[in-house]
Amino acid sequence: MDAQGRGQAEDIDPADQWVLNPDTGDYELRLPSSAPQSPVPGPRRAAPAPEREVPAPRRRRATPEEPPPGRRDRRRPAKKKAKKKSRGKKILLWTGGTMAFVILAVGTAGYLYLQHLNDNIESLPDDGASTGGFQKDQAINILLIGTDKRTGSGNDGYGDKGSAGHADTTLLLHVSKDRSNATALSIPRDLIVDIPDCPTTQEDGSTKVIPGSSGVRFNQSLGQSGRTPSCTMRTVTELTGVKPDNFMVADFNAVKTLSSAVGGVEVCLAKDIDDPDSHLNLPAGKHTIEGEEALAFVRTRHSVGFGGDLSRIELQQQFLSSLMRKLKSNDTLTSPTKMVKLAEAATEALTVDSKLDSIGKLKDLGMELGKLDTKNLTFATVPVIDNPAEPKPVTVVLKEGPAQQVFDMVKNDISFTEVKEKEKEKKKKEDAAVAARLEGAKSEPSEIRVRVLNGGASAGSAGRELTYLQNEAGVTKSENAGNAPAEIAKTTLEYAPDQADQARALAEILGLSGAAMKPGESVTNSQGLPTMTLTLGKDFKGAGVKLDATSAKAPEDLQKSTADKVECAK
């Protein structure tokens, strides 16, 4: 094809390259930039009919609305250009802004050739460990798992040769309900956790319960004893209190193929690195890496930081940030060839849960994630300390206070970074409205009448909270009313308008936010007197523990960075 032909081919939208092959009855994707060298069978053509004389058409003068025949084509390029621009916007809408990790963005490009990509996707049951799949009008939690399983050629130097595929790299991606911010929380593979019992679907359709383990490394939540990604899901829920909506799993080849598909990913090193274990050999400075070198980069750990897994996590976060920026760039979004390569690489490299097993579902997820601005995406690592039970620590344990702060922020959909001024102003007004419920006179604790219901907290919570209220908080006119009719996510306090003074006083004692206060009606207590109703939700942390998390802030020493910045690994 000559240069002019190539230029015309690049102007054609890939979505228009579907051609019906009459020999097979199927539509085939014909992309000039990726067409095979061997001839592709085309539609059969009937033999040409004998030529016959056709009277020459009469010339007619052009009307003012119609250009002369020789000038008609001059208008067509403008129309075609406008069409191309519209399709370009469509591609940007479907793919722009989505998460870089394990190519969520590329899932949205699947409309190029849906059926072929659907056939590439491998899925596994979630075994009831998920919420049932993400919802468009709710916050989204996706569990992203990179395994140390070696598949394909060229992976002999990495990982455990006999590994069944442990949870080597795990991120919990939380995207806020309003899509204004997101957090990618890295969970160290050497973190000591309790792995719960895991019901797992077998190949014959039966269910086998894999017994849990106490005090083991987090990476054993996958692969060990036949555990599947649903077991990792359950472990994350047990650890953080956050139940993932979906999972995605990728092995070593995903890093190699995805980085190559985008034409390389830019990374930065603050010093020279020559790591024989990971095979990374790069001088200090910025580099564009792909394929084998990209895999070496995310696998290295002995030559950076303290030489452990936590230092490697920082490298992985830098790589994923850069990959996402590359995916969002016009250079990627406007290149049909790159989009096709990415779609192929992603669907072949990923294993997803059964609630996310088609291009259509991935596209819907990508549309939601595409609303996020990279500067409001925070990479963070679960706060940990060296395991004090080991003389020479090789594992880590939770740094309890800061770790719980981080988990609570994710659970309560609180951003780790600033959002746009307009969004902040809107949130400020909403907060002011509910905060106003806390303003005003407050009753004395001894004047507060309240009954306590358990609406989702652990068994016995209502009784323990009642004991705290009566013996320590001075709320003597309180009583246990048993279980609520239904479970609720967050604790609420319902009260009548004339009980506002009591409600404000109790909210201060319990640490309730204005959003937890529900103006409504009072009920009658066992003495026949009007009383408020405190319903303990799943967010209840324990008797006497403050409930409000809306003012929570990230721990000062939290390891974190934002996806819009390049930080050189030290």
Side-chain angles (χ1 to χ4, degrees):
M1 184 182 293
D2 58 21
Q4 181 179 358
R6 287 194 301 269
Q8 291 173 346
E10 291 173 357
D11 287 340
I12 300 175
D13 190 294
D16 292 336
Q17 298 305 294
W18 289 98
V19 178
L20 176 65
N21 187 336
D23 292 334
T24 63
D26 294 327
Y27 281 90
E28 299 176 353
L29 182 65
R30 305 282 176 83
L31 288 179
S33 59
S34 60
Q37 299 300 318
S38 58
V40 179
R44 296 173 181 172
R45 299 187 179 181
E51 294 184 2
R52 61 175 178 172
E53 289 188 9
V54 179
R58 295 181 181 180
R59 291 179 176 271
R60 58 189 179 92
R61 298 178 63 185
T63 63
E65 293 80 9
E66 179 183 11
R71 301 179 186 175
R72 187 183 300 273
D73 289 340
R74 296 182 182 179
R75 292 189 177 187
R76 289 182 178 172
K79 184 176 181 180
K80 185 175 181 181
K81 184 175 181 181
K83 185 176 182 181
K84 177 186 174 187
K85 181 177 180 181
S86 175
R87 287 202 174 105
K89 288 183 177 179
K90 185 177 181 182
I91 293 175
L92 187 63
L93 174 64
W94 280 30
T95 61
T98 54
M99 299 302 93
F101 346 106
V102 204
I103 209 62
L104 290 181
V106 182
T108 65
Y111 72 100
L112 295 174
Y113 47 144
L114 295 177
Q115 189 56 51
H116 170 66
L117 296 183
N118 277 328
D119 292 341
N120 284 350
I121 298 173
E122 182 180 349
S123 66
L124 290 172
D126 70 348
D127 299 316
S130 76
T131 62
F134 77 93
Q135 300 294 319
K136 294 182 179 180
D137 59 348
Q138 298 296 325
I140 297 174
N141 294 295
I142 307 294
L143 189 63
L144 306 170
I145 308 170
T147 77
D148 58 1
K149 187 174 183 179
R150 302 193 314 195
T151 61
S153 60
N155 289 323
D156 292 341
Y158 302 100
D160 179 2
K161 187 175 183 179
S163 175
H166 295 111
D168 197 51
T169 299
T170 305
L171 295 98
L172 177 61
L173 172 64
H174 170 82
V175 184
S176 67
K177 182 177 180 179
D178 64 5
R179 309 296 185 254
S180 67
N181 64 87
T183 302
L185 187 62
S186 292
I187 302 174
R189 68 175 188 179
D190 295 328
L191 174 64
I192 296 299
V193 297
D194 293 334
I195 300 175
D197 292 347
C198 182
T200 306
T201 303
Q202 305 300 296
E203 290 185 3
D204 61 1
S206 63
T207 299
K208 173 184 177 182
V209 177
I210 300 175
S213 303
S214 298
V216 296
R217 298 187 190 205
F218 176 84
N219 70 342
Q220 293 184 26
S221 65
L222 179 65
Q224 197 83 6
S225 305
R227 293 183 177 116
T228 66
S230 67
C231 298
T232 307
M233 265 189 165
R234 295 183 193 278
T235 305
V236 168
T237 302
E238 184 90 2
L239 174 69
T240 67
V242 179
K243 193 171 187 177
D245 300 308
N246 300 96
F247 68 71
M248 288 184 169
V249 184
D251 59 23
F252 290 151
N253 277 324
V255 174
K256 297 197 290 187
T257 57
L258 297 178
S259 59
S260 295
V262 296
V265 174
E266 185 182 70
V267 296
C268 183
L269 298 173
K271 63 180 182 180
D272 298 346
I273 289 183
D274 185 3
D275 187 348
D277 292 321
S278 70
H279 311 301
L280 182 67
N281 188 350
L282 287 175
K286 293 184 178 180
H287 305 275
T288 298
I289 59 175
E290 62 177 278
E292 201 74 36
E293 198 169 42
L295 178 57
F297 182 85
V298 299
R299 294 287 301 165
T300 195
R301 59 186 174 126
H302 297 301
S303 301
V304 292
F306 294 104
D309 187 51
L310 296 180
S311 299
R312 187 182 63 164
I313 285 175
E314 294 183 46
L315 285 179
Q316 292 168 346
Q317 291 174 347
Q318 181 193 153
F319 178 85
L320 292 173
S321 295
S322 184
L323 177 58
M324 188 180 69
R325 291 193 298 273
K326 191 64 175 287
L327 286 169
K328 288 191 57 137
S329 69
N330 288 333
D331 180 52
T332 299
L333 296 175
T334 59
S335 170
T337 302
K338 285 186 178 180
M339 295 303 289
V340 170
K341 287 182 178 179
L342 284 167
E344 287 283 356
T347 52
E348 290 180 355
L350 287 180
T351 298
V352 298
D353 69 87
S354 53
K355 304 296 192 299
L356 201 62
D357 60 356
S358 72
I359 288 299
K361 295 173 184 177
L362 286 170
K363 181 267 294 180
D364 290 341
L365 176 59
M367 291 283 284
E368 294 304 308
L369 300 174
K371 300 172 184 177
L372 178 69
D373 190 328
T374 55
K375 71 179 182 181
N376 293 328
L377 166 63
T378 301
F379 283 92
T381 303
V382 173
V384 294
I385 57 174
D386 288 339
N387 190 347
E390 298 174 344
K392 187 177 180 181
V394 293
T395 62
V396 293
V397 296
L398 287 181
K399 192 174 183 180
E400 288 293 345
Q404 194 58 54
Q405 280 182 263
V406 169
F407 298 153
D408 286 346
M409 289 179 71
V410 174
K411 282 191 293 186
N412 291 286
D413 202 17
I414 299 173
S415 175
F416 283 70
T417 186
E418 294 296 329
V419 296
K420 295 178 181 177
E421 289 300 323
K422 184 177 180 180
E423 294 163 343
K424 288 171 61 179
E425 188 61 30
K426 178 182 177 182
K427 185 71 165 57
K428 185 177 179 180
K429 290 180 179 179
E430 293 173 350
D431 290 345
V434 295
R437 298 171 187 170
L438 298 170
E439 298 175 359
K442 299 180 181 67
S443 301
E444 292 296 323
S446 59
E447 298 174 358
I448 299 173
R449 286 192 299 270
V450 63
R451 62 174 191 155
V452 184
L453 296 175
N454 190 336
S458 60
S461 292
R464 289 190 290 273
E465 183 70 352
L466 180 66
T467 299
Y468 163 75
L469 289 173
Q470 292 180 341
N471 297 340
E472 297 184 43
V475 183
T476 54
K477 298 176 182 177
S478 52
E479 62 184 35
N480 187 345
N483 292 327
E487 292 188 352
I488 58 176
K490 295 186 177 183
T491 299
T492 61
L493 175 63
E494 185 174 2
Y495 58 97
D498 61 352
Q499 295 172 315
D501 290 7
Q502 295 181 45
R504 286 190 286 266
L506 186 58
E508 183 176 59
I509 292 171
L510 301 178
L512 290 176
S513 67
M517 299 175 67
K518 306 295 181 184
E521 299 180 355
S522 64
V523 295
T524 302
N525 65 10
S526 57
Q527 284 79 42
L529 299 173
T531 185
M532 302 182 294
T533 301
L534 173 67
T535 305
L536 306 179
K538 294 180 180 180
D539 63 336
F540 181 73
K541 300 180 181 67
V545 180
K546 299 288 185 179
L547 282 160
D548 182 20
T550 57
S551 59
K553 294 182 179 179
E556 292 184 3
D557 58 350
L558 179 68
Q559 176 186 313
K560 65 186 183 75
S561 61
T562 52
D564 61 328
K565 298 175 182 177
V566 179
E567 297 187 13
C568 296
K570 300 178 181 178

